[in-house]
């Protein structure tokens, strides 16, 4: 835009202080990103400005689409896992209610189901850890435990 006929010259920014030029440039770039401003992108003064604005709009649409896709998939996975756990617990509740199982035993079964579900999730993490080099796993465990151990009164007393 800092050429004859460009938006910098049209706005009179070529003689403005650097900070003002920078702020106006960011403002200009952000105002051109939404797809709704594509018409104003085509009405720019120089060919370089037009192509830059159109490419920026295209890239922003692609990146935002990718972000929304990833976010939607993560939310669907969480909903699927929650629904599965809810169905299992509902089956336990129905079975225990139908068969006259006491509340104490029903709660024990529920805790067992939740614990087994948690163990299954840990197994997924274990597969990931097994794929890492042993030295990296050691460093990872050390880092994870050091925060807990560093706050424990016994270890604080030893370290003092």
């Amino acid at each position: 835009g800092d050429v004859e006929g460009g938006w910098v010259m049209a706005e009179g920014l070529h003689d403005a202080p650097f900070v003002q030029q920078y702020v106006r440039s960011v403002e200009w770039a952000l105002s051109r990103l939404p797809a709704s401003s594509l018409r104003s992108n085509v009405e720019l003064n120089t060919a370089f400005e037009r192509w830059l604005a159109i490419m920026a709009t295209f890239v922003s649409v692609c990146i935002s689409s990718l972000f929304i896709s990833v976010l939607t998939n993560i939310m669907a996975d969480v909903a699927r896992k929650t629904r599965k756990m809810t169905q299992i617990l509902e089956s336990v509740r129905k079975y225990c209610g139908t068969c006259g199982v006491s509340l104490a035993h029903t709660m024990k079964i529920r805790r067992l189901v939740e614990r087994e579900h948690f163990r299954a999730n840990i197994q997924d993490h274990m597969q990931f850890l097994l794929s890492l080099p042993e030295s990296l796993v050691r460093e990872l465990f050390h880092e994870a435990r050091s925060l807990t151990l560093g706050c424990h009164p016994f270890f604080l007393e030893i370290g003092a």
Side-chain angles (χ1 to χ4, degrees):
D2 195 8
V3 295
E4 192 63 40
W7 72 272
V8 173
M9 294 293 183
E11 293 287 322
L13 290 174
H14 58 284
D15 293 329
F18 175 74
V19 174
Q20 186 180 359
Q21 287 180 352
Y22 183 77
V23 169
R24 289 288 292 162
S25 295
V26 170
E27 193 177 289
W28 178 84
L30 291 176
S31 71
R32 302 288 186 203
L33 284 179
S36 61
S37 69
L38 191 56
R39 183 176 183 88
S40 60
N41 287 344
V42 177
E43 294 172 356
L44 294 171
N45 298 332
T46 66
F48 180 72
E49 287 176 353
R50 285 191 293 275
W51 280 106
L52 181 64
I54 290 170
M55 292 307 293
T57 301
F58 178 74
V59 168
S60 69
V61 167
C62 290
I63 290 173
S64 62
S65 298
L66 181 65
F67 173 74
I68 290 170
S69 173
V70 168
L71 189 62
T72 303
N73 287 336
I74 290 171
M75 290 173 63
D77 286 344
V78 168
R80 193 173 17 259
K81 288 178 182 178
T82 303
R83 193 169 36 253
K84 180 180 176 185
M85 185 64 175
T86 303
Q87 287 173 344
I88 292 170
L89 291 176
E90 182 65 21
S91 296
V92 167
R93 188 187 65 75
K94 281 183 181 178
Y95 176 80
C96 291
T98 303
C99 296
V101 177
S102 70
L103 181 62
H105 278 81
T106 302
M107 294 309 293
K108 282 182 184 179
I109 294 170
R110 179 182 176 160
R111 283 192 296 273
L112 175 72
V113 168
E114 289 172 341
R115 188 172 49 241
E116 288 303 315
H117 184 73
F118 182 71
R119 277 192 190 142
N121 287 340
I122 289 177
Q123 288 298 327
D124 292 340
H125 295 294
M126 290 304 294
Q127 291 299 325
F128 166 70
L129 290 174
L130 289 173
S131 69
L132 296 175
E134 187 178 337
S135 60
L136 184 60
V137 172
R138 221 175 296 123
E139 287 179 28
L140 183 65
F141 283 159
H142 175 73
E143 189 71 25
R145 291 179 186 137
S146 64
L147 293 173
T148 304
L149 296 177
C151 296
H152 193 278
F154 175 75
F155 293 107
L156 286 174
E157 187 178 311
I158 291 176

